[in-house]
Amino acid sequence: AIGARRWAALVGGWCFPNVGFLVAWLCFPLSSVAVWLPWTFWATTAFVQRPTGWAGPSLSVVLAILMVSGHLETAAHIMLSAAFVGSWQWVANWVGAIRQSNGLRTAGIILFIGLLAGGIGMVQVAPTLDYVRMSFRVRVRQETALERGYRGDQNARELARLAFPYLLGTEQADSHAVGDTNFNEGGTNGYAGFTMLCMLAPIGILHGWRRSETWMWLALGLLAAAPMFRLPILSWWDRVPALNM
């Protein structure tokens, strides 16, 4: 559905279960939500390509699973990313989409997907909203904006963690952490393997630089990395209360 060739899809499927985010947050509820990211992107892309097929119900089920998997902030991150991917693909194909589909009908389907997913996910959303009303941690977030910040002198070290996640140590026993950034909230989250980062990713970019999807994934990666590296303009989303974990 996302247009990847067989070997590209196979290598991506092999690598995803071992990415830094899933490993660093293995014993936390964040990882139980993040494992649904590929399915969310697949369902979103399939829906953009064929709004009237089974992709709509599939997308609503995946979104509902995201909301009931244990961490709504991570679910919000994934849904925001899926919205970005879906919007990019729709704009890239907007001429064909307008000519071949009924815009009002598609809008109705999107509304139905949201209502269905929200209705199913309410079993998790409702208790969480009740907890948020009296949560001390949420109140601290509202009063102090962000619980953590990233200093400019940490950028180079955290960039190195994208390829070598344990380069700066950890807070675990028998290890000494270098710097103030928590291991779970540093560049480790972007780790996908040295070979993937330094060899396969550049090859893929050079091979597909004319494809809209290549620039879409690069733009999404840039937005995701913006808060840590304090990129101007692009890091605004990390200050939205629902997205500031």
Side-chain angles (χ1 to χ4, degrees):
I2 63 174
R5 295 182 178 179
R6 179 176 300 178
W7 278 107
L10 189 61
V11 172
W14 280 339
C15 294
F16 180 74
N18 298 304
V19 296
F21 186 89
L22 294 181
V23 175
W25 296 99
L26 184 61
C27 298
F28 297 86
L30 288 76
S31 59
S32 63
V33 180
V35 294
W36 292 99
L37 183 145
W39 287 102
T40 308
F41 284 160
W42 172 83
T44 301
T45 302
F47 175 76
V48 172
Q49 293 176 351
R50 190 178 179 185
T52 57
W54 281 99
S58 300
L59 179 57
S60 63
V61 170
V62 173
L63 294 179
I65 292 175
L66 282 176
M67 288 188 280
V68 301
S69 292
H71 201 260
L72 286 178
E73 293 94 336
T74 302
H77 285 160
I78 295 177
M79 288 188 284
L80 182 65
S81 300
F84 176 85
V85 169
S87 299
W88 185 295
Q89 293 176 334
W90 184 86
V91 171
N93 304 307
W94 70 275
V95 174
I98 290 178
R99 290 177 179 175
Q100 298 176 13
S101 64
N102 186 311
L104 186 60
R105 182 180 182 183
T106 301
I109 295 175
I110 294 175
L111 178 60
F112 173 76
I113 290 173
L115 291 176
L116 180 60
I120 299 175
M122 195 55 65
V123 296
Q124 171 76 39
V125 175
T128 301
L129 292 178
D130 184 63
Y131 160 76
V132 166
R133 289 191 303 107
M134 45 189 178
S135 169
F136 172 77
R137 188 176 184 184
V138 172
R139 188 166 66 250
V140 170
R141 290 179 180 179
Q142 294 174 344
E143 294 174 354
T144 60
L146 291 176
E147 293 177 313
R148 76 285 184 276
Y150 304 112
R151 298 197 313 269
D153 59 352
Q154 294 177 335
N155 289 350
R157 292 182 295 183
E158 295 305 327
L159 189 62
R161 268 184 167 174
L162 295 176
F164 305 101
Y166 291 99
L167 181 65
L168 303 179
T170 70
E171 295 78 17
Q172 299 172 347
D174 301 323
S175 180
H176 177 70
V178 178
D180 300 327
T181 304
N182 186 285
F183 176 77
N184 296 74
E185 296 181 343
T188 305
N189 289 282
Y191 172 78
F194 176 80
T195 303
M196 174 69 75
L197 178 66
C198 298
M199 293 180 61
L200 298 183
I203 291 174
I205 293 172
L206 291 174
H207 181 71
W209 68 274
R210 293 185 177 181
R211 300 182 60 182
S212 173
E213 292 87 349
T214 301
W215 297 103
M216 176 188 72
W217 295 119
L218 286 174
L220 182 59
L222 193 63
L223 282 172
M228 169 163 292
F229 297 105
R230 300 193 304 177
L231 301 180
I233 302 175
L234 299 179
S235 59
W236 62 268
W237 63 266
D238 191 48
R239 296 183 179 274
V240 177
L243 301 176
N244 172 27
M245 294 190 297

